């Protein structure tokens, strides 16, 4: 189990390093512009109010000039969750699909370890990388918060981080599930990314389009983002829905992989 | 008791045939060769036995245990060399082999060193830098290093040079000596003829024949040429049902005989034959003959 867990980290360390640097760069660049926003709060607020209401609703620009409003709009509503989805989704998709695609599954699955234990080891690795990256982001925000003189409680940042992790874990679970059904890592990553973007788009437009109302209770982005964690704290129900959904997808993936005919390249 | 036992094992992919009611046994200390053209079902049989694909029907045991039910303990006794030598490219050969050993919860460093020396493999090279032959060496080492009781080798010498092939044969003989049962699939007939004690010939998912190579040769078609003291006619042998392809040239007659040659030889002596030449079939001829008959 540990050997496979370590191997999973080792297999992805280059892309993980790239994503970590990307995340740090995104957070640093976004937060570096905050002083110019906070210094011109009134002018900027007036400028934002001149935006059509539709645009303000789509980009959730409530209280944009405050610390929580700025971070929510610029980082925690999209950027950070998407980075976690990209990394967790890639690890999940690669777990089985890449092994089959490259022909390495044949030997791996004849070693004295059950298929479910193989997949669980890789799931632990994917779950932990999502959590580690999210906390790396949190640490980065906390460090820069003092530098840019931003007012936001650490507890609220932690709530935003927990929501982001929950979203990341949900889509990681979906990636494992699609990977277990497919033999192509590319297909699995593509489907997960597509689903994430579509659900995010629907969530964003739902503020304007009433027709989306019936499906919003089933939209994972709604579960993770509508509670406005940077303002209101952890949305326990929403986060639990996401984590439970991710776990159900992972259990389903294990059951599928357990009885699957393994293909060869 | 056989180490590997298949009883009417079948695998279908929807309507596509994988293998159909395949039955054979492999005994301890035996090399059992499976031969057949591409798509005949050789790899499907091995992958079904290893649980990589689920059998549609039939039974199979390895070391007395149900092979069709996942069994981690049983896998400790199995070595497998897949037909496609796919390894983790980012590892060094040593790192990869250590990873496989750790998955087996074993420390096999000494054996890895020993086998790499015998097969002339640089353990510190990255796998993505290795040639096809050297990658195959890595696969051979991982299959043999834990001294398994049952070995499944799918096209094991693919890409190996003749010197390394000879070392591979030694490894095979050592495994036989310690009582391992070895199932070897190949399309290289000479290799199977050289290494296997018994063979099964696969064609379109079915087994055409299972036997010792020497017995197969006995049963196979032989071309026989007689020289007589007088001119001879093909019709003189017309009563013989197991001969064919009769060619007569003055006092010489050649024909193909299947199975027993007793009747043919008796008739030839009666007709005054004083010289006989026989040509033993190669495994390749047996193979092509069997497939041709289908």
């Amino acid at each position: 189990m540990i050997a496979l867990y370590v191997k999973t980290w080792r297999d992805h360390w280059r892309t993980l390093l790239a994503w970590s640097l990307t995340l740090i760069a995104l957070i640093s660049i976004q937060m570096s512009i905050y002083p110019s926003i906070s210094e011109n709060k009134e002018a900027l607020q007036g400028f934002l109010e001149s935006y059509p209401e539709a645009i303000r609703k789509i980009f959730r620009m409530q209280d944009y000039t405050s610390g929580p409003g700025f971070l929510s709009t610029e980082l925690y509503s999209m950027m950070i969750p998407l980075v976690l989805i990209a990394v967790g989704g890639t690890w999940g998709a690669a777990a089985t699909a890449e092994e089959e695609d490259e022909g390495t599954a044949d030997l791996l699955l004849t070693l004295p370890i059950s298929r479910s234990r193989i997949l669980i080891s890789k799931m632990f690795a994917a779950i932990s990388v999502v959590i580690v990256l999210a906390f790396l982001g949190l640490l980065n925000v906390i460090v820069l918060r003092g530098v840019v003189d931003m007012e936001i409680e650490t507890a609220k940042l932690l709530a935003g981080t927990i929501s982001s992790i929950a979203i990341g874990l949900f889509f990681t679970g979906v990636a494992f599930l699609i990977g277990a059904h497919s033999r192509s890592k590319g297909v699995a990553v593509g489907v997960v990314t597509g689903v994430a973007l579509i659900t995010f788009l629907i969530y964003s437009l739902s503020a304007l389009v009433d027709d989306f109302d019936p499906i919003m209770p089933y939209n994972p982005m709604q579960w993770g983002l509508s509670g406005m964690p940077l303002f209101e704290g952890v949305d326990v129900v929403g986060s639990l829905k996401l984590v439970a959904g991710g776990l159900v997808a992972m259990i389903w993936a294990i059951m599928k992989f357990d009885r699957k005919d393994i293909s060869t390249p | 008791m056989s180490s590997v036992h298949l009883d009417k094992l079948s695998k279908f992919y929807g309507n596509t045939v994988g293998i159909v009611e395949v039955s054979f046994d492999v005994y301890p200390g035996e090399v059992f060769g499976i031969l057949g053209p591409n798509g005949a079902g050789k790899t499907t049989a091995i992958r079904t036995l290893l649980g990589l694909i689920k059998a549609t029907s039939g039974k199979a045991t390895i070391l007395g245990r149900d092979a069709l039910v996942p069994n981690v303990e049983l896998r400790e006794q199995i070595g497998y060399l897949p037909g496609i030598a796919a390894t983790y490219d980012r590892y060094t050969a040593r790192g990869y082999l250590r990873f496989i050993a750790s998955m087996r919860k074993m420390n096999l460093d000494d054996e890895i060193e020993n086998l790499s020396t015998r097969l002339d493999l640089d353990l510190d090279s990255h796998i993505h830098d290795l040639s096809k032959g050297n990658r195959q060496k890595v696969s051979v080492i991982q299959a043999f290093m834990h001294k398994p009781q049952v070995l499944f080798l799918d096209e094991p010498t693919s890409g190996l040079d003749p010197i390394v092939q000879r070392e591979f044969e030694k490894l095979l003989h050592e495994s036989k000596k310690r009582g391992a049962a070895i199932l070897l699939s190949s399309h290289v007939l000479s290799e199977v003829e050289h290494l296997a004690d018994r063979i099964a010939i696969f064609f379109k998912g079915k087994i055409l024949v299972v036997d010792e190579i020497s017995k197969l040769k006995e049963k196979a078609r032989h071309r026989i040429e007689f020289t007589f003291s007088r001119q001879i006619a093909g019709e003189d042998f017309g009563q013989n049902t197991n001969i064919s392809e009769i060619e007569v040239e003055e006092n010489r007659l050649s024909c193909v005989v299947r199975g027993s040659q007793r009747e043919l030889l008796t008739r030839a002596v009666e007709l005054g034959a004083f010289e006989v030449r026989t040509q033993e079939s190669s495994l390749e001829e047996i193979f092509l003959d069997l497939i041709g008959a289908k």
Side-chain angles (χ1 to χ4, degrees), chain B residues 79-182:
Chain B
Y80 172 43
L81 196 161
I84 298 164
T87 45
Y88 298 118
D89 284 359
R90 296 187 188 111
Y91 282 69
T92 61
R94 188 192 307 278
Y96 174 74
L97 292 167
R98 277 184 173 166
F99 168 71
I100 299 292
S102 71
M103 294 292 283
R104 294 191 175 282
K105 296 187 178 110
M106 297 171 90
N107 183 342
L108 297 167
D109 284 359
D110 292 344
E111 197 58 25
I112 290 168
E113 286 289 346
N114 173 30
L115 288 171
S116 65
T117 305
R118 289 179 63 177
L119 296 176
D120 190 25
L121 173 71
D122 176 9
L123 284 172
D124 295 316
S125 294
H126 274 90
I127 291 176
H128 59 70
D129 292 329
L130 294 178
S131 65
K132 187 188 175 210
N134 280 325
R135 284 171 184 236
Q136 188 70 1
K137 290 177 192 175
V138 177
S139 282
V140 169
I141 292 173
Q142 67 76 22
F144 282 85
M145 65 185 181
H146 57 295
K147 295 187 167 55
Q149 282 305 299
V150 183
L151 271 159
F152 294 93
L153 308 172
D154 195 357
E155 306 283 353
T157 57
S158 172
L160 297 182
D161 64 50
I163 297 168
V164 179
Q165 276 190 31
R166 191 167 292 179
E167 200 58 43
F168 169 80
E169 286 171 23
K170 284 183 189 169
L171 282 175
L172 212 60
H173 286 300
E174 289 164 17
S175 299
K176 269 181 75 170
K177 268 188 184 173
R178 61 176 174 75
I182 300 158

Side-chain angles (χ1 to χ4, degrees), chain A residues 209-222:
Chain A
V209 184
D210 293 341
D211 290 347
F212 288 141
D213 286 354
I215 59 168
M216 289 316 286
Y218 310 104
N219 186 339
M221 291 299 183
Q222 173 83 1

Side-chain angles (χ1 to χ4, degrees), chain A residues 3-4 7 10-11 99 102-104 106-107 109-115 258-262 264, chain B residues 11 47 50-54 72 75-76 80 84 86-88 90-91 96 99-100 102-104 142:
Chain A
L4 208 50
K7 177 190 169 297
R10 183 182 166 153
D11 286 349
E99 298 270 8
E102 295 183 356
T104 50
D106 256 37
L107 179 61
L109 300 184
T110 55
L111 295 173
I113 178 169
S114 68
R115 288 189 187 192
D258 228 16
R259 53 174 195 271
K260 184 183 187 186
D261 277 358
I262 302 302
T264 48
Chain B
K11 172 66 185 176
R47 296 182 83 243
L50 288 167
L52 292 167
I53 48 179
K54 307 291 178 197
V72 169
R75 289 187 205 156
E76 290 172 359
Y80 172 43
I84 298 164
T87 45
Y88 298 118
R90 296 187 188 111
Y91 282 69
Y96 174 74
F99 168 71
I100 299 292
S102 71
M103 294 292 283
R104 294 191 175 282
Q142 67 76 22

Side-chain angles (χ1 to χ4, degrees), chain A:
Chain A
M1 289 279 276
I2 291 171
L4 208 50
Y5 177 89
V6 172
K7 177 190 169 297
T8 308
W9 275 85
R10 183 182 166 153
D11 286 349
H12 295 285
W13 77 266
R14 284 186 182 84
T15 48
L16 177 60
L17 182 65
W19 276 114
S20 302
L21 293 174
T22 302
L23 183 68
I24 290 168
L26 278 172
I27 291 171
S28 303
I29 291 166
Q30 292 288 4
M31 290 189 72
S32 68
I33 62 169
Y34 183 70
S36 61
I37 287 169
S38 62
E39 284 163 15
N40 301 289
K41 269 186 184 175
E42 286 179 14
L44 194 64
Q45 200 59 45
F47 173 68
L48 289 174
E49 276 166 19
S50 70
Y51 273 38
E53 189 184 352
I55 298 293
R56 279 188 282 131
K57 278 187 174 176
I58 287 173
F59 292 100
R60 318 261 162 178
M61 287 175 163
Q62 299 95 323
D63 202 15
Y64 179 73
T65 55
S66 71
F70 178 81
L71 286 181
S72 186
T73 303
E74 300 296 349
L75 291 173
Y76 283 87
S77 287
M78 187 177 168
M79 289 289 188
I80 291 175
L82 280 185
V83 169
L84 300 185
I85 290 168
V87 175
T90 307
W91 286 37
T96 54
E98 193 171 60
E99 298 270 8
E100 276 192 82
D101 213 13
E102 295 183 356
T104 50
D106 256 37
L107 179 61
L108 181 64
L109 300 184
T110 55
L111 295 173
I113 178 169
S114 68
R115 288 189 187 192
S116 52
R117 283 172 76 90
I118 288 172
L119 210 48
I120 289 168
S121 302
K122 294 192 172 207
M123 284 170 178
F124 268 118
I127 290 168
S128 52
V129 78
V130 168
I131 294 170
V132 166
L133 262 185
F135 276 90
L136 176 71
L138 174 66
L139 191 66
N140 196 8
V141 171
I142 288 172
V143 168
L144 291 178
R145 177 181 59 179
V147 176
V148 300
D149 200 20
M150 180 185 279
E151 284 180 19
I152 183 166
E153 294 169 36
T154 303
K156 294 290 176 4
L157 286 175
L158 192 60
T161 301
I162 289 170
S163 284
S164 300
I165 289 172
I167 293 171
L169 292 185
F170 178 85
F171 284 98
T172 301
V174 173
F176 271 101
L177 181 59
I178 296 166
H181 279 81
S182 162
R183 55 160 290 184
S184 164
K185 178 188 163 190
V187 168
V189 171
V191 171
V192 170
T193 310
V195 171
L197 290 174
I198 289 167
T199 51
F200 181 76
L201 187 64
I202 290 172
Y203 166 74
S204 299
L205 294 174
S206 66
L208 293 177
V209 184
D210 293 341
D211 290 347
F212 288 141
D213 286 354
I215 59 168
M216 289 316 286
Y218 310 104
N219 186 339
M221 291 299 183
Q222 173 83 1
W223 302 341
L225 300 175
S226 65
M228 305 297 284
L230 292 189
F231 291 94
E232 308 294 338
V234 179
D235 177 358
V236 176
V237 174
S239 297
L240 282 177
K241 277 184 186 173
L242 286 164
V243 173
L247 284 177
V248 167
M250 287 184 193
I251 291 166
W252 189 355
I254 291 170
M255 289 164 64
K256 170 65 186 173
F257 188 57
D258 228 16
R259 53 174 195 271
K260 184 183 187 186
D261 277 358
I262 302 302
S263 54
T264 48

Side-chain angles (χ1 to χ4, degrees), chain B residues 59-71:
Chain B
K59 293 176 184 170
T61 61
I62 297 175
L63 300 173
R65 299 180 196 183
D66 190 343
L68 306 182
V69 176
N71 187 326

Side-chain angles (χ1 to χ4, degrees), chain B residues 20-291:
Chain B
V20 185
E21 297 197 345
V22 167
S23 301
F24 62 78
D25 289 273
V26 187
Y27 295 93
E30 179 184 42
V31 177
F32 187 86
I34 54 179
L35 274 173
N38 292 336
K42 309 184 296 290
T43 299
T44 300
I46 290 176
R47 296 182 83 243
T48 308
L49 270 170
L50 288 167
L52 292 167
I53 48 179
K54 307 291 178 197
T56 307
S57 61
K59 293 176 184 170
T61 61
I62 297 175
L63 300 173
R65 299 180 196 183
D66 190 343
L68 306 182
V69 176
N71 187 326
V72 169
E73 285 173 15
L74 178 58
R75 289 187 205 156
E76 290 172 359
Q77 306 297 325
I78 292 174
Y80 172 43
L81 196 161
I84 298 164
T87 45
Y88 298 118
D89 284 359
R90 296 187 188 111
Y91 282 69
T92 61
R94 188 192 307 278
Y96 174 74
L97 292 167
R98 277 184 173 166
F99 168 71
I100 299 292
S102 71
M103 294 292 283
R104 294 191 175 282
K105 296 187 178 110
M106 297 171 90
N107 183 342
L108 297 167
D109 284 359
D110 292 344
E111 197 58 25
I112 290 168
E113 286 289 346
N114 173 30
L115 288 171
S116 65
T117 305
R118 289 179 63 177
L119 296 176
D120 190 25
L121 173 71
D122 176 9
L123 284 172
D124 295 316
S125 294
H126 274 90
I127 291 176
H128 59 70
D129 292 329
L130 294 178
S131 65
K132 187 188 175 210
N134 280 325
R135 284 171 184 236
Q136 188 70 1
K137 290 177 192 175
V138 177
S139 282
V140 169
I141 292 173
Q142 67 76 22
F144 282 85
M145 65 185 181
H146 57 295
K147 295 187 167 55
Q149 282 305 299
V150 183
L151 271 159
F152 294 93
L153 308 172
D154 195 357
E155 306 283 353
T157 57
S158 172
L160 297 182
D161 64 50
I163 297 168
V164 179
Q165 276 190 31
R166 191 167 292 179
E167 200 58 43
F168 169 80
E169 286 171 23
K170 284 183 189 169
L171 282 175
L172 212 60
H173 286 300
E174 289 164 17
S175 299
K176 269 181 75 170
K177 268 188 184 173
R178 61 176 174 75
I182 300 158
L183 185 63
L184 182 147
S185 152
S186 179
H187 67 275
V188 183
L189 303 177
S190 57
E191 177 180 86
V192 175
E193 186 169 13
H194 180 55
L195 297 174
D197 301 300
R198 288 188 305 138
I199 62 165
I201 295 180
F202 276 65
F203 188 61
K204 292 184 178 172
K206 294 180 180 173
I207 288 186
L208 301 183
V209 66
V210 178
D211 215 334
E212 292 171 22
I213 293 173
S214 57
K215 287 185 181 167
L216 275 178
K217 286 185 173 176
E218 279 172 23
K219 291 177 197 166
R221 46 181 270 159
H222 293 74
R223 179 160 285 280
I224 300 188
E225 190 177 301
F226 297 103
T227 307
F228 295 90
S229 53
R230 61 181 177 83
Q231 199 158 355
I232 202 82
E235 292 74 28
D236 293 332
F237 287 89
Q239 304 299 318
N240 239 320
T241 52
N242 65 340
I243 66 170
S244 59
E245 298 178 34
I246 300 168
E247 290 171 19
V248 179
E249 192 181 329
E250 295 184 353
N251 65 334
R252 287 185 180 175
L253 179 142
S254 79
C255 63
V256 167
V257 59
R258 289 175 192 274
S260 169
Q261 298 166 25
R262 181 193 295 251
E263 203 178 335
L264 175 68
L265 292 172
T266 306
R267 181 68 182 143
V269 170
E270 284 171 5
L271 291 170
F274 65 86
E275 190 179 6
V276 183
R277 283 185 203 153
T278 63
Q279 190 185 334
E280 191 182 56
S281 291
S282 67
L283 185 56
E284 187 172 356
E285 285 169 317
I286 297 169
F287 179 69
L288 293 173
D289 187 37
L290 279 167
I291 288 176

